[in-house]
Amino acid sequence: MAKFKLKYFFLFCAIGVLLSACVSDLDFTQGEDFAISPTLDASLIYFEETASSFIDEAGAEQIMVRDSVNMEIFNDSFTVDNLIKAAFLFKVSNSINRGFQAQIDFLDETDGLQHRFTLSIAASPTNEEILVEHLETFENESLLALKRSVQIVITVSLMPSSDGSIINENTPGILTFKSKATFYLLIDTST
Amino acid sequence: MKKIILLLFLTTCFVSFAQNKQLLYGFNEIPQSLLLNPGAQVSNDWYIGIPFLSHTHVSFGMTGVSVFDIFADDGIDFNDKLQRTIYAMKDTDYFALNQQFDLFSGGFAFGKSFIKDKYLSFGMYQETNAFIYFPKDYAILAYEGNHNNLDRLFDLSDLNISAELLTVFHLGYNKKVNTKFTYGVRGKIYTSILDIKSINNRGIFVTLEGDNNFLKHDFVLDLEVQTAGLKSFLDDENSELGKDMKKLVSSAFFGGNLGLGVDLGFSYKLTEQWTLDASVQDIGFISYTKDLEHFNLDGNLSYEGINPLFQETEEGQTAEEYWDAIATDFEDLFEIDTTYSKYTTARPIKFNAALQYAFGKKNSEDCNCLLAQEAYQNRAGAHLFFMRRPKRPQAAISAFYYRRLFSGLGIKASYTLDSYSYTNLGLALSANIRNINFYIAGDNLLKYQNVAKAQSVSLQLGFNYIFKSNEE
């Protein structure tokens, strides 16, 4: 009988050891604080053109070039929820003896203007490269404007020359335009 | 979206597993040890597993991280811990989960002579497997973005996931040739309910300095996900949970994708006290022929940006066509092709072997010639385990000690070395109370004070009704 009792004693001790596992000092609610903040870079618009690109088919100066880019991604719910800052960097270099102006408009779904900025680059009489950099940062109000935008319109205008000269096939110089966007995201589970 | 990202993060952080059952293997008093070695020495005349309770097995393992590392209530900021963990983990770190659940099982001895030398066992169990490598480069990309990672190649082959849910019907034959040699074979019919694999991914994403713009993004994508059994679950017409359950049950009983397999094993008494036994499990395959969906993402693109103002118009290309071409490039890049091709996969083969020495004869007991080994109170030995894995095989070696405490109560302790830890102590117990057999086996006991810190835990338990004619 003593042996029988001992058997059960051992049995319960062993089961006790195996079932005594505990998970302590854990706090899974911490998962609610989950947040990551990746920063993404994306190429935007570029071109590299000689002076002769600003001549139309009839041989006259083309004083304005314009096109639009659909950017529905700003309006996407993921972007709207998680984008906390954006910065657009532009670099323009000019060796043409004419000034240029680039105007960048952000339009909403009803073509309403949400945001606008302008870059100007001076003429280069000696055909030396002139550099202009512009950083457009979207925060607070301007960030909200960006998130309402679905279209970017770029207008490059040829400024009148100071000496009345007109661009022809042989006008030297190059206008280059580079741009990229940096998106600062904060993806968290608290909101 | 956020939930998906969180889920992705957490699953990638916590995946691992061990199918090693070093405690159950060779524990012949437990009928389920026959599932690990069909050629094991059988010590009962017949048994019936208590339905749904005869065998429950859960094990998980992970390398590079523990739940405690991330969720410890230690006042340290959660995201700091998460970041530390992500940066410390490697793309060869993994999470694995294996779960088995007996639906029914049983076995009985038979034979022409008085000494029944043959044993037939059968049953059906459900099994879940998941194996996920830590997708390090995806995690870094999600964590940092490409802004500070110019020229860094993100390796898309880091995505390597497999998960399956299946049932196995099995029938085993065990033959005691003589007092020294016993062999066995077990046939299996696999019914796959669900199979998801994404293991052949290739590709890179890199952001470089551009030629015409600040940046150039290079995408080389060759990603694929193979699924079987998933399609009908995701069908919109079948969105009710009740219908899903019905489908699950019907596919569990030979309604899914079928496969065949075999286990082989033997045990051989080298001397009265030395025994060698070994087994190979799951030499087999599953042929996936129905309810298939194979997703493939294949494309290359080098993208510097767009030139809307002065389009390098190829002949006759209008502005509209230019836009269409760019849109098409991206659509092609991320277009997912869906195909329905059949495939066959081999089961993960497992190999077990053990060499053991029995000692410490109980004086008061006469030698029972049928079960000579039971005359010894102690068994000690070494056990080896191998299993096939996608990247490299999993291996473990254990030293074990078995002690019969009383008639019908045996315990076994093991020390295991494997890729999860060097401090894995396990304990198993089998108790027969009248005809009811109860057993429980647990791994990594040193971590039981706080399982969350354990990188691998395995637990098996079950109840059987056992009948032994030669019981004292």
Side-chain angles (χ1 to χ4, degrees):
Chain A
M1 194 60 194
K3 189 178 157 187
F4 189 69
K5 276 184 183 161
L6 208 55
K7 175 173 163 178
Y8 287 102
F9 173 73
F10 268 97
L11 179 62
F12 287 117
C13 282
I15 293 172
V17 168
L18 287 168
L19 295 181
S20 67
C22 71
V23 177
S24 60
D25 310 326
L26 288 188
D27 177 13
F28 284 103
T29 58
Q30 290 178 93
E32 291 167 13
D33 301 334
F34 172 79
I36 53 172
S37 46
T39 307
L40 300 176
D41 276 1
S43 285
L44 288 177
I45 294 154
Y46 70 93
F47 59 81
E48 178 176 311
E49 297 301 326
T50 55
S52 58
S53 298
F54 294 89
I55 308 172
D56 65 17
E57 281 156 10
E61 272 186 1
Q62 194 172 6
I63 56 163
M64 196 183 84
V65 184
R66 170 182 282 173
D67 205 348
S68 63
V69 183
N70 288 328
M71 283 285 178
E72 272 144 20
I73 189 155
F74 300 138
N75 211 241
D76 182 89
S77 68
F78 180 77
T79 313
V80 169
D81 289 351
N82 300 297
L83 184 68
I84 53 165
K85 185 182 158 188
F88 286 34
L89 180 67
F90 299 87
K91 191 165 134 185
V92 185
S93 87
N94 182 24
S95 56
I96 302 170
N97 187 18
R98 288 291 285 273
F100 291 91
Q101 196 184 60
Q103 176 181 296
I104 293 143
D105 296 334
F106 291 77
L107 305 183
D108 62 22
E109 277 167 338
T110 57
D111 289 341
L113 184 66
Q114 288 291 338
H115 191 79
R116 167 179 284 175
F117 58 91
T118 316
L119 288 84
S120 293
I121 187 157
S124 175
T126 57
N127 298 117
E128 294 281 312
E129 218 175 55
I130 296 173
L131 278 178
V132 171
E133 270 199 4
H134 178 89
L135 183 70
E136 187 75 7
T137 305
F138 294 85
E139 283 176 298
N140 305 322
E141 277 306 306
S142 59
L143 183 67
L144 291 174
L146 178 71
K147 289 175 180 178
R148 287 191 291 265
S149 305
V150 292
Q151 198 179 56
I152 303 177
V153 179
I154 302 175
T155 311
V156 175
S157 307
L158 183 63
M159 297 288 106
S161 64
S162 49
D163 55 5
S165 63
I166 284 175
I167 289 179
N168 61 41
E169 288 285 343
N170 301 315
T171 305
I174 291 171
L175 179 70
T176 67
F177 186 98
K178 293 179 175 182
S179 61
K180 67 172 178 180
T182 303
F183 299 105
Y184 299 85
L185 300 171
L186 175 63
I187 302 163
D188 63 36
T189 48
S190 58
T191 50
Chain B
M1 186 69 188
K2 285 167 190 161
K3 290 222 169 101
I4 293 170
I5 291 171
L6 176 64
L7 195 71
L8 209 73
F9 250 88
L10 296 185
T11 50
T12 55
C13 293
F14 310 133
V15 189
S16 151
F17 133 60
Q19 290 203 15
N20 187 10
K21 295 181 179 176
Q22 74 277 18
L23 287 160
L24 197 54
Y25 182 87
F27 205 138
N28 298 339
E29 290 82 348
I30 304 169
Q32 278 74 18
S33 66
L34 259 185
L35 276 170
L36 299 174
N37 182 356
Q41 291 168 34
V42 184
S43 62
N44 64 67
D45 283 306
W46 59 267
Y47 92 95
I48 293 177
I50 310 289
F52 304 111
L53 294 176
S54 54
H55 185 62
T56 299
H57 163 85
V58 179
S59 77
F60 74 91
M62 55 181 96
T63 62
V65 64
S66 76
V67 178
F68 190 79
D69 290 343
I70 294 176
F71 287 104
D73 189 10
D74 54 6
I76 299 171
D77 182 67
F78 173 74
N79 289 301
D80 289 349
K81 287 183 281 191
L82 191 64
Q83 181 178 12
R84 207 165 50 201
T85 305
I86 289 167
Y87 284 87
M89 285 176 79
K90 298 184 289 286
D91 60 0
T92 49
D93 281 322
Y94 58 87
F95 167 87
L97 171 78
N98 172 236
Q99 166 273 330
Q100 275 178 18
F101 180 73
D102 245 3
L103 301 171
F104 65 89
S105 68
F108 57 89
F110 66 102
K112 281 176 187 163
S113 56
F114 170 71
I115 300 163
K116 293 172 178 169
D117 57 353
K118 302 180 187 77
Y119 195 89
L120 210 61
S121 58
F122 56 88
M124 188 170 178
Y125 62 88
Q126 166 273 324
E127 184 171 346
T128 309
N129 291 305
F131 199 86
I132 302 177
Y133 283 99
F134 177 62
K136 172 101 180 183
D137 280 14
Y138 290 80
I140 296 293
L141 184 59
Y143 213 85
E144 296 180 0
N146 61 347
H147 179 65
N148 286 322
N149 283 309
L150 228 59
D151 298 335
R152 178 178 172 146
L153 283 173
F154 289 98
D155 183 355
L156 305 184
S157 71
D158 278 4
L159 182 68
N160 190 315
I161 294 175
S162 53
E164 64 170 355
L165 174 64
L166 71 157
T167 60
V168 182
F169 176 78
H170 57 89
L171 182 66
Y173 173 77
N174 179 290
K175 163 81 177 165
K176 187 171 185 159
V177 178
N178 51 43
T179 52
K180 288 192 165 192
F181 183 62
T182 303
Y183 71 87
V185 57
R186 180 177 306 284
K188 289 179 167 174
I189 299 172
Y190 306 105
T191 306
S192 168
I193 300 167
L194 190 62
D195 185 61
I196 299 170
K197 278 193 188 73
S198 184
I199 55 175
N200 292 315
N201 296 311
R202 279 187 183 76
I204 54 154
F205 168 67
V206 63
T207 300
L208 304 163
E209 197 174 319
D211 302 319
N212 301 310
N213 203 348
F214 288 116
L215 302 174
K216 178 167 79 172
H217 309 291
D218 278 350
F219 299 86
V220 180
L221 309 180
D222 182 6
L223 308 174
E224 63 174 14
V225 181
Q226 225 166 26
T227 72
L230 187 66
K231 188 167 163 270
S232 52
F233 274 114
L234 298 183
D235 269 353
D236 289 335
E237 294 169 24
N238 187 14
S239 58
E240 283 173 44
L241 187 68
K243 280 185 187 168
D244 280 344
M245 288 309 294
K246 220 178 248 179
K247 190 221 165 244
L248 194 74
V249 170
S250 76
S251 52
F253 290 91
F254 309 113
N257 287 296
L258 298 175
L260 290 172
V262 66
D263 300 352
L264 302 169
F266 73 90
S267 57
Y268 186 73
K269 280 188 133 187
L270 302 165
T271 67
E272 195 191 321
Q273 287 173 286
W274 284 96
T275 304
L276 175 71
D277 50 36
S279 72
V280 185
Q281 284 171 268
D282 291 315
I283 308 167
F285 64 91
I286 295 180
S287 178
Y288 297 91
T289 56
K290 52 185 174 187
D291 207 5
L292 309 171
E293 238 173 349
H294 185 157
F295 305 102
N296 206 338
L297 185 62
D298 200 347
N300 299 336
L301 185 66
S302 189
Y303 176 73
E304 286 200 309
I306 46 175
N307 183 354
L309 297 174
F310 305 93
Q311 294 141 19
E312 286 150 33
T313 43
E314 289 154 33
E315 263 182 58
Q317 195 186 30
T318 65
E320 204 168 311
E321 283 164 349
Y322 170 79
W323 282 112
D324 286 348
I326 290 170
T328 310
D329 281 349
F330 270 93
E331 274 167 23
D332 285 353
L333 180 66
F334 293 109
E335 191 189 18
I336 297 173
D337 292 325
T338 308
T339 53
Y340 308 93
S341 46
K342 297 174 181 181
Y343 64 102
T344 299
T345 54
R347 299 301 303 153
I349 291 179
K350 281 154 269 180
F351 173 78
N352 283 285
L355 180 66
Q356 63 178 338
Y357 179 72
F359 59 99
K361 242 180 194 174
K362 201 174 177 186
N363 292 329
S364 62
E365 230 175 345
D366 288 338
C367 169
N368 182 328
C369 293
L370 290 176
L371 295 154
Q373 204 173 35
E374 288 212 340
Y376 293 97
Q377 300 290 304
N378 308 281
R379 301 202 292 263
H383 169 243
L384 201 62
F385 173 78
F386 281 107
M387 180 173 172
R388 199 172 59 87
R389 288 276 178 221
K391 284 191 185 175
R392 62 175 179 216
Q394 181 191 335
I397 185 162
S398 306
F400 64 85
Y401 170 69
Y402 166 89
R403 169 84 193 181
R404 189 145 64 104
L405 288 176
F406 306 101
S407 148
L409 180 65
I411 59 166
K412 183 177 175 181
S414 68
Y415 170 70
T416 304
L417 286 174
D418 59 22
S419 51
Y420 304 110
S421 87
Y422 305 116
T423 55
N424 181 357
L425 285 181
L427 186 65
L429 172 146
S430 168
N432 292 335
I433 299 167
R434 296 179 197 281
N435 287 100
I436 299 293
N437 164 259
F438 167 73
Y439 67 94
I440 184 165
D443 233 355
N444 259 313
L445 294 182
L446 295 179
K447 304 285 171 107
Y448 268 45
Q449 285 172 314
N450 193 345
V451 170
K453 283 184 187 170
Q455 293 192 309
S456 138
V457 171
S458 164
L459 186 73
Q460 295 131 38
L461 59 93
F463 294 88
N464 297 294
Y465 186 84
I466 289 185
F467 184 78
K468 281 187 196 181
S469 60
N470 50 27
E471 188 104 58
E472 347 146 28

